[in-house]
Amino acid sequence: MDFRKIMGCMVILLMPGCEHMIDFQGSENGLQGITVNALAVPDTVFTAAISRAYLFTEVPALNYIDYWEYEAHPDPFYEKAVLSEAEVELVVNEQEKYTMRYDPLHYNFTSDYMPRSGDRITLRVKAEDLESVSAETIVPNVQLLEILGCEKYYKKEYIGEGPLSDISQDTVAHITLRLTDPGDERNYYRLKVRSIAHDKRGGSSEVILQYSDIYTSSDVIFMDEQLTRGYGGWVAHFSNIFDDHLFNGKEYTFSVETHLRYGEHPHAVIELQSITRDLYYYLKSVMLYRITDQDAYTEAIQIHSNINSGWGILGGLSAEKHTVYF
């Protein structure tokens, strides 16, 4: 079955506008292809999620109440989509080869290999009646992150205002950091700041972990003009994913802020992830997609992919992690 989509008029230099017809090749069974999602992380067993590709309109809406229910009971549609009989080969540095095995408990393929920084990872997937796909990435080197200082201050009437208005104390931690960036290449980063405390409810012995990944900063490296709306507690125009075009080859000092959690032993785990270029653009496109209205009047958001002849992402990251006690 062929689906046709009309593109609007476009003016290129002095050429008159015109209409373009783009043919989308499908079939009576919908979209035909393979989706691959995998992340190469040093000292972590390499796994990959391999599934059949589906059109957005073919995927049913989730009926779960919250994330925790979804985690405990995987979506039955995904169980159907997984290509458990696929042939998955992992090649490291064009020499070492690993045949990945399907894990029915986690619905993914696993290997005996743990990536190292600098490794070139190649993934090849074959499945019956579908075009074979492949992808490649290089695990990035970890970059230096230093904690220069931490100050606490009281934020009056914080409940219901601003990006940090979640279930937390009225005390904010202002943390100063310094990143050292190498100058011989373009580097891409994601900064994670998780505020944590151990809460004993009602004097019982049960300890509940209170945490939040939401933080904020006024530094220009976190500014993203495309993110015109906030999402899930994150303020509009803020992205924790950035590159080094403002400080390439230099040390860069900046600050972040996070609310303290209710409970004992409040602290923050700060993690600087050095990520691959493809993972950077994939995450950026997902951020834009999730704030975009999905209707006939909205321009479609293309999710970045580096899977040849397929969909999804093969990315790599290395992390530098610190703990700051309040």
Side-chain angles (χ1 to χ4, degrees):
M1 181 185 299
D2 290 341
F3 296 87
R4 296 180 178 274
K5 188 174 182 180
I6 300 178
M7 303 297 292
C9 294
M10 301 177 65
V11 178
I12 303 177
L13 298 180
L14 299 179
M15 295 175 61
C18 58
E19 285 188 347
H20 296 275
M21 300 294 294
I22 297 180
D23 290 335
F24 174 80
Q25 300 296 328
S27 73
E28 293 182 356
N29 297 322
L31 187 65
Q32 296 294 303
I34 297 175
T35 298
V36 177
N37 287 291
L39 197 59
V41 182
D43 303 321
T44 302
V45 172
F46 183 82
T47 62
I50 312 294
S51 61
R52 184 182 298 273
Y54 285 88
L55 290 171
F56 181 82
T57 54
E58 296 174 322
V59 181
L62 293 177
N63 295 319
Y64 298 109
I65 298 175
D66 56 27
Y67 170 79
W68 304 112
E69 184 181 355
Y70 176 77
E71 183 183 48
H73 305 90
D75 182 12
F77 182 84
Y78 182 71
E79 296 179 34
K80 166 188 170 184
V82 169
L83 293 170
S84 59
E85 301 299 323
E87 297 178 19
V88 184
E89 182 184 58
L90 170 66
V91 182
V92 181
N93 298 324
E94 302 179 348
Q95 296 178 346
E96 306 170 45
K97 293 185 178 181
Y98 302 85
T99 299
M100 300 185 67
R101 308 172 303 276
Y102 180 66
D103 178 0
L105 180 62
H106 300 99
Y107 304 101
N108 63 13
F109 286 79
T110 185
S111 69
D112 297 322
Y113 166 71
M114 291 187 180
R116 300 176 296 270
S117 295
D119 280 352
R120 180 181 294 273
I121 308 296
T122 303
L123 197 61
R124 301 189 181 104
V125 181
K126 296 180 181 180
E128 186 177 0
D129 299 327
L130 296 173
E131 183 177 3
S132 298
V133 304
S134 64
E136 186 173 277
T137 194
I138 297 178
V139 183
N141 294 315
V142 66
Q143 307 303 339
L144 178 63
L145 179 70
E146 300 171 89
I147 310 296
L148 300 184
C150 177
E151 298 177 346
K152 295 185 295 182
Y153 68 90
Y154 169 68
K155 187 176 180 64
K156 183 180 180 182
E157 298 177 354
Y158 76 95
I159 297 177
E161 70 161 291
L164 298 177
S165 56
D166 51 354
I167 302 175
S168 60
Q169 296 188 35
D170 52 13
T171 302
V172 174
H174 181 93
I175 306 168
T176 303
L177 309 168
R178 180 167 62 202
L179 187 161
T180 301
D181 180 79
D184 56 348
E185 59 186 2
R186 174 56 61 87
N187 290 280
Y188 303 88
Y189 300 101
R190 175 167 64 174
L191 184 73
K192 298 183 69 176
V193 178
R194 172 167 288 187
S195 180
I196 306 172
H198 300 90
D199 185 19
K200 290 185 177 181
R201 292 292 178 89
S204 68
S205 59
E206 181 184 5
V207 177
I208 298 175
L209 191 66
Q210 298 281 4
Y211 69 89
S212 174
D213 293 319
I214 306 298
Y215 69 94
T216 189
S217 174
S218 60
D219 198 280
V220 66
I221 63 173
F222 299 105
M223 178 67 66
D224 189 333
E225 293 294 344
Q226 294 188 93
L227 302 179
T228 56
R229 293 192 299 187
Y231 179 86
W234 296 93
V235 66
H237 303 295
F238 182 89
S239 171
N240 65 338
I241 302 163
F242 55 95
D243 63 19
D244 64 353
H245 75 278
L246 293 176
F247 53 88
N248 187 24
K250 302 176 182 178
E251 292 182 344
Y252 190 79
T253 301
F254 59 97
S255 298
V256 298
E257 291 189 347
T258 180
H259 271 290
L260 274 63
R261 304 294 106 193
Y262 283 111
E264 301 176 348
H265 313 297
H267 61 283
V269 176
I270 301 175
E271 181 176 325
L272 177 68
Q273 297 179 347
S274 299
I275 63 177
T276 55
R277 178 183 182 274
D278 283 311
L279 182 57
Y280 169 89
Y281 283 108
Y282 171 80
L283 293 171
K284 282 288 191 181
S285 62
V286 169
M287 284 184 167
L288 185 58
Y289 177 86
R290 68 190 186 186
I291 66 167
T292 304
D293 295 326
Q294 305 302 317
D295 56 44
Y297 302 99
T298 304
E299 182 178 355
I301 302 300
Q302 180 68 48
I303 302 298
H304 181 80
S305 173
N306 64 343
I307 308 299
N308 299 317
S309 302
W311 291 267
I313 186 70
L314 171 61
L317 71 81
S318 295
E320 170 88 347
K321 187 180 294 187
H322 298 271
T323 302
V324 180
Y325 292 96
F326 304 138

